[in-house]
């Protein structure tokens, strides 16, 4: 299981961003090429392992959660909410600050209401900054988080609740190594 994902991760180039070893991969960066078979493999693994009972919405963050969310939404027929990096000033919009291993910024949640039951999916969790911000926004509107899953786990981030991860990796200066498949 997850052979395409594991192979593609272990073949990923690594570059330095300051002191951060940044790996480049289709799931996390959209380059060099996002293969449908890879998205299907990831989506199928999420469908098998997420608690989808009574889920109203899938929540993903712009930009690299979008392609995963679209594939997952098409497989499950659950509507997709994209948390954006710019404000639309819609009624009920919630702004949250996120800090990751290499960036900071604002995220804006629209389309999730009190009483909604959602799953959060994302490409990678390194520091947990994006997921913590997103969890806070969803809780602020009064929605219930049924489950959370990321494709790639890197490091030991604590997001304050259970997190499902398809694969765990270590990144050195010159390579990515898959250390565990967590499902």
């Amino acid at each position: 299981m997850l052979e395409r994902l594991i192979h593609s991760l272990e073949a990923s180039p690594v570059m330095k961003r300051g002191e951060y070893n940044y790996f480049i991969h289709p799931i996390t960066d959209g380059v060099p090429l996002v293969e449908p078979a890879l998205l299907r493999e990831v989506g199928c693994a999420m469908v098998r392992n997420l608690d989808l009972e009574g889920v109203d919405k899938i929540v993903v963050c712009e930009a690299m959660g979008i392609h995963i969310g679209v594939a997952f939404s098409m497989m499950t027929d659950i509507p997709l909410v994209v948390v954006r990096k710019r404000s639309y000033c819609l009624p009920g919009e919630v702004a949250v600050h996120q800090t990751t291993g290499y960036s900071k910024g604002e995220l804006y949640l629209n389309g999730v209401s009190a009483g909604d039951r959602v799953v959060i999916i994302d490409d990678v969790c390194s520091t947990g900054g994006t997921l913590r911000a997103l969890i806070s926004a969803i809780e602020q509107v009064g929605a219930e988080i049924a489950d959370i899953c990321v494709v790639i786990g890197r490091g030991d981030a604590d997001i304050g609740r259970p997190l499902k991860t398809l694969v765990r990796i270590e990144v050195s200066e010159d390579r990515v190594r898959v250390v565990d498949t967590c499902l």
Side-chain angles (χ1 to χ4, degrees):
M1 188 165 93
L2 298 172
E3 291 85 13
R4 281 183 177 86
L5 179 60
I6 292 167
H7 175 73
S8 63
L9 280 164
E10 291 184 340
S12 295
V14 177
M15 63 178 270
K16 279 284 205 192
R17 279 196 173 167
E19 295 299 311
Y20 192 80
N21 293 322
Y22 187 90
F23 68 101
I24 301 166
H25 187 266
I27 292 293
T28 58
D29 298 286
V31 294
L33 179 70
V34 183
E35 294 284 353
L38 178 60
L39 282 175
R40 193 168 28 258
E41 181 180 79
V42 165
C44 287
M46 287 185 169
V47 166
R48 283 191 301 272
N49 291 283
L50 280 166
D51 174 8
L52 300 177
E53 187 171 334
V55 168
D56 304 301
K57 296 172 184 168
I58 299 162
V59 179
V60 301
C61 284
E62 179 183 27
M64 297 320 301
I66 295 173
H67 57 295
I68 304 162
V70 167
F72 190 65
S73 177
M74 291 180 74
M75 295 172 88
T76 61
D77 286 328
I78 300 171
L80 178 65
V81 172
V82 178
V83 179
R84 301 299 306 265
K85 293 180 182 177
R86 66 178 166 144
S87 174
Y88 286 83
C89 300
L90 295 171
E93 180 174 85
V94 177
V96 292
H97 183 74
Q98 61 136 357
T99 302
T100 70
Y102 53 87
S103 70
K104 295 179 182 182
E106 299 300 315
L107 296 173
Y108 299 90
L109 174 68
N110 288 287
V112 175
S113 303
D116 285 344
R117 183 168 162 84
V118 305
V119 294
I120 300 170
I121 61 174
D122 206 359
D123 61 331
V124 67
C125 180
S126 296
T127 64
T130 300
L131 286 174
R132 281 191 299 275
L134 187 50
I135 289 165
S136 173
I138 291 169
E139 289 174 342
Q140 189 175 333
V141 300
E144 176 189 354
I145 300 170
D147 218 343
I148 304 170
C149 185
V150 296
V151 178
I152 302 161
R154 177 181 181 183
D156 295 317
D158 180 6
I159 63 166
R161 60 175 52 226
L163 171 65
K164 293 178 179 173
T165 306
L166 299 186
V167 297
R168 296 199 67 64
I169 64 168
E170 291 178 349
V171 182
S172 66
E173 290 183 8
D174 61 347
R175 70 186 281 253
V176 175
R177 187 169 71 88
V178 174
V179 296
D180 194 13
T181 55
C182 298
L183 296 176

